[in-house]
Amino acid sequence: MVTKLVEGINWVGYVDWTVRDFHSYATKRGATYNAYLIRDEKIALVDSVKAPYVKNLIDNLARLTDLQKIDYVVCNHAEPDHSGALPILMPRLPNAKIVCDAKCRDILNGYYDTTKWQFQIVKSGDVLSLGKKSLTFLEVPMVHWPDSMVSYLAEEKILFSNDAFGQHLATSQRFADEVDQSVLFEEAKTYYANIVMPYSKQVLKTLEAASKLDIKIIAPSHGVIWRRELGKIIGEYQKWASFANAKKALIVYDSMWESTAKMAHAIYDGAATTGIDARLMRIRTLGNTEFVAEALDATAIICGSATLNQKIMPAMASALTYLQGLKPQNKMGFAFGSYGWGAKGGADEVQTFLTAMGMEILREPIKCAWVPTTEILETCFNAGKEIGNKIVNGK
Ligand code: FEO
C-alpha cells in the first residue's frame, strides 16, 4: 500500500495489526510505522520502519521508484522502530545519504555498523532542496529522544512530525478524518501519556516553534495522518503538555483478600458524592498502559496496596514505578492499604512513591489491620469526599 498524501508524496510504511507489546506499552489496537517517499528532482525517503518489516518498505518503494534513484533517507529519530530497517535498506540504496542531526548519527553508530553509510548532518534551520520542494529541519530534543527532529516541507505545508502527534493504531485508513474520532483521540492520548508525557516541557517549546509554521498536514511516524481540523489535536497536545487536569480522581489499588479493595470502594464512594469524575481501578485488571493514560489528566491519584511479605503488591509497585518515570506534574493524592501482622508495608511504600513523584500529599496513609472496620471505612469515605470537594473547588 502506497497511499498518496499529495502529488509526489506517498506513505510507504507498514501497518502492524498484531503487535500488542511495544516496549511494555500494551498496544491493544496494533501500531503503524510510517515512512514517506517524496519524489521531486531528488527523491527522499522520510523515516523507515521496524526491522522485521523492511521487505514491506522495499516493496512499497519499488512500486514508486527505482531504488537506485533515491538520494536521501531522512532519519528524524534513531529509535529502532524508525531505523531498524536501515541495515538491510541502505545497501539497496547505493546513492542515498542519510540526513540526520549529529545526535542521531551517534545513536545510529551505536546501534548499527554504519561504516559504509554516507551521512549528511543537519541542524535546526538547515534546508535540503529536492528541486521544486525543500525540507527544513527542526531539532526537537527529547520529543522523544535527544536526537529527535521534525522535517517541514514548506511547499506543501507538511510537517513530518516523527513521534509527536502519533498514535498506536492499526487501520486500513491513513488519515485521521477517516477513522472513529473517539478511538483516535483515546489512542492519541494513550500514546501521549505512555511515550511523550515526561517530555512535556519540550513539547510546549515545540508547539511554540511549530506555531510559526503554516501547516496543512501533520504526518507522524505512528498512526494516521492529520489533514483536517489540526487545531483539535494541537489543542489536546497543549492541554496534555500543560497538565491542565480534568475534575477527575483515580482510585487505583491492588488487594489480596479484598480489604484494600473495600477501602478503595469507600474512598471512591466518597469522591463520587461530590460529582467529580471518580474512577475506580484495580491495577492488575487494568494494566499500566491504561492507568497512565487515565493519570495524565487526573487531578488526584489515590493509590492503595495490600501488604505482601512486608512490601507493596508487585503490580502496584510496577504501576507506580512506570508512572514515576513518566514524570506526571500537578497531581495530588494519598496512600491507603491493609496489612496483617506487620504495620509497615504496602501503604507506606505507596506513599513513598507518591512523595517521590512530587505530588501534593493530602494526608498520612490510611491503614487497617486485617479487615477494615466501620470506622476505617468511614475515614476512607470522608477522605474521598474531601478530595472530591477540593477538586470541585478548583483544588
Ligand atoms: Fe517511535 Fe521514539 O520512536
Side-chain angles (χ1 to χ4, degrees):
M1 191 165 44
V2 288
T3 312
K4 183 169 119 181
L5 274 71
V6 295
E7 202 56 48
I9 303 179
N10 290 75
W11 176 92
V12 290
Y14 181 74
V15 180
D16 188 349
W17 284 94
T18 58
V19 64
R20 289 294 177 270
D21 183 321
F22 187 97
H23 58 48
S24 289
Y25 177 150
T27 48
K28 68 180 180 188
R29 294 190 173 99
T32 79
Y33 315 104
N34 296 341
Y36 301 93
L37 190 70
I38 306 170
R39 285 171 296 158
D40 196 354
E41 288 159 30
K42 300 278 186 183
I43 299 180
L45 172 66
V46 177
D47 292 323
S48 73
V49 298
K50 210 167 163 178
Y53 311 117
V54 61
K55 180 160 185 330
N56 307 78
L57 173 63
I58 289 171
D59 288 348
N60 283 344
L61 294 173
R63 284 187 184 108
L64 296 166
T65 187
D66 175 353
L67 268 58
Q68 309 258 338
K69 292 186 178 164
I70 295 179
D71 299 284
Y72 303 109
V73 176
V74 175
C75 189
N76 281 313
H77 174 32
E79 193 167 8
D81 50 329
H82 309 296
S83 70
L86 295 179
I88 302 290
L89 180 67
M90 291 314 289
R92 307 285 295 271
L93 312 181
N95 301 308
K97 283 182 187 166
I98 292 187
V99 180
C100 65
D101 65 23
K103 290 189 202 94
C104 182
R105 180 195 48 198
D106 292 346
I107 297 171
L108 291 174
N109 286 344
Y111 270 112
Y112 313 111
D113 176 1
T114 60
T115 45
K116 293 196 174 129
W117 301 359
Q118 298 180 73
F119 284 93
Q120 181 167 330
I121 302 305
V122 294
K123 58 185 185 321
S124 282
D126 285 356
V127 177
L128 178 70
S129 174
L130 301 175
K132 294 187 182 62
K133 299 178 173 71
S134 58
L135 283 167
T136 304
F137 305 105
L138 175 65
E139 292 168 282
V140 290
M142 302 317 296
V143 185
H144 162 227
W145 278 11
D147 63 319
S148 293
M149 182 174 88
V150 297
S151 304
Y152 177 61
L153 192 77
E155 294 77 8
E156 299 288 356
K157 302 178 180 168
I158 299 176
L159 183 71
F160 297 99
S161 63
N162 197 261
D163 276 342
F165 303 107
Q167 337 88 47
H168 282 319
L169 176 61
T171 163
S172 56
Q173 288 87 13
R174 293 276 59 79
F175 295 98
D177 49 281
E178 297 174 324
V179 300
D180 182 311
Q181 296 299 289
S182 61
V183 168
L184 172 64
F185 279 89
E186 178 193 318
E187 290 302 339
K189 183 181 177 194
T190 301
Y191 179 97
Y192 186 94
N194 281 271
I195 302 282
V196 191
M197 195 196 312
Y199 315 115
S200 289
K201 271 191 193 144
Q202 291 89 335
V203 169
L204 288 173
K205 276 191 211 157
T206 302
L207 289 172
E208 169 68 24
S211 71
K212 299 186 177 89
L213 302 173
D214 185 6
I215 300 170
K216 248 172 65 182
I217 295 176
I218 298 175
S221 58
H222 297 290
V224 289
I225 298 159
W226 309 87
R227 64 177 174 184
R228 301 218 171 102
E229 296 182 40
L230 300 188
K232 190 165 176 208
I233 184 63
I234 291 170
E236 290 297 287
Y237 260 62
Q238 198 80 45
K239 199 173 79 186
W240 297 331
S242 313
F243 292 96
N245 294 327
K247 290 192 182 298
K248 171 174 155 186
L250 306 185
I251 296 93
V252 56
Y253 69 97
D254 197 7
S255 198
M256 285 176 69
W257 295 107
E258 299 309 299
S259 293
T260 301
K262 285 179 184 137
M263 298 169 80
H265 277 264
I267 295 166
Y268 164 80
D269 286 343
T273 58
T274 64
I276 61 159
D277 177 2
R279 299 187 185 203
L280 185 63
M281 300 170 161
R282 191 174 188 121
I283 193 65
R284 263 188 286 160
T285 312
L286 188 74
N288 293 350
T289 302
E290 208 174 320
F291 166 51
V292 302
E294 291 291 351
L296 175 64
D297 63 352
T299 301
I301 306 173
I302 305 155
C303 300
S305 175
T307 301
L308 175 65
N309 301 325
Q310 298 179 297
K311 302 292 288 178
I312 187 173
M313 294 285 282
M316 203 65 218
S318 162
L320 292 175
T321 301
Y322 187 46
L323 183 64
Q324 186 178 3
L326 294 170
K327 300 186 174 62
Q329 306 292 315
N330 193 27
K331 309 291 180 196
M332 61 183 182
F334 64 84
F336 63 96
S338 64
Y339 60 90
W341 57 94
K344 288 253 176 252
D348 294 311
E349 286 198 34
V350 169
Q351 192 92 321
T352 302
F353 268 110
L354 302 185
T355 305
M357 279 185 242
M359 278 193 203
E360 182 189 349
I361 304 296
L362 297 181
R363 54 170 303 140
E364 288 299 303
I366 306 176
K367 299 199 262 187
C368 86
W370 305 115
V371 172
T373 60
T374 307
E375 291 73 29
I376 291 283
L377 291 176
E378 201 174 302
T379 302
C380 289
F381 181 90
N382 289 335
K385 192 169 173 182
E386 196 178 317
I387 213 164
N389 281 328
K390 210 168 160 62
I391 292 171
V392 168
N393 296 323
K395 208 176 157 189

